[in-house]
Amino acid sequence: MSDFIVVREGTWLYDGRVPTGVRIVSCSIRYGSGDCLDPSEVQEDQTVPGFDVQWASPTKPRDYGNYASAVFPTLLEAVAHAERAIWASATLRWADA
């Protein structure tokens, strides 16, 4: 399991009405695919710093039941990804903005 630190939190409106959480975490592992047909850098877990965007479920708007994986190398890339998500882009608001 990855260690992680929450670095940014916000809310978006599911169906335009249900406040649902989103957060960006800093973590130190990128989980591999486990697929033996993938190249080793994709197949194997890697210890690398990075960031992940985690979306809560509208039925549990503060429950982030997934594991953090360093998908994005920078915080700016993680924020940009979250802000471009088609389901949330119109209503996403960051708590620190």
Side-chain angles (χ1 to χ4, degrees):
M1 180 182 208
S2 174
D3 61 317
F4 67 88
I5 298 168
V6 176
V7 295
R8 198 152 195 205
E9 290 186 284
T11 304
W12 63 283
L13 297 177
Y14 174 81
D15 198 25
R17 299 174 298 180
V18 181
T20 306
V22 59
R23 68 183 182 184
I24 297 177
V25 298
S26 170
C27 51
S28 62
I29 190 168
R30 181 179 302 133
Y31 291 113
S33 69
D35 187 334
C36 65
L37 299 177
D38 284 337
S40 61
E41 64 271 10
V42 174
Q43 180 185 28
E44 304 292 330
D45 294 349
Q46 298 178 32
T47 303
V48 294
F51 298 86
D52 194 14
V53 179
Q54 296 183 323
W55 303 92
S57 164
T59 59
K60 295 182 180 178
R62 303 310 301 164
D63 183 7
Y64 301 93
N66 46 5
Y67 297 102
S69 180
V71 177
F72 303 98
T74 69
L75 176 60
L76 288 177
E77 288 176 87
V79 169
H81 174 80
E83 291 177 348
R84 282 192 311 265
I86 192 71
W87 60 87
S89 62
T91 62
L92 177 61
R93 301 292 177 261
W94 297 110
D96 59 359

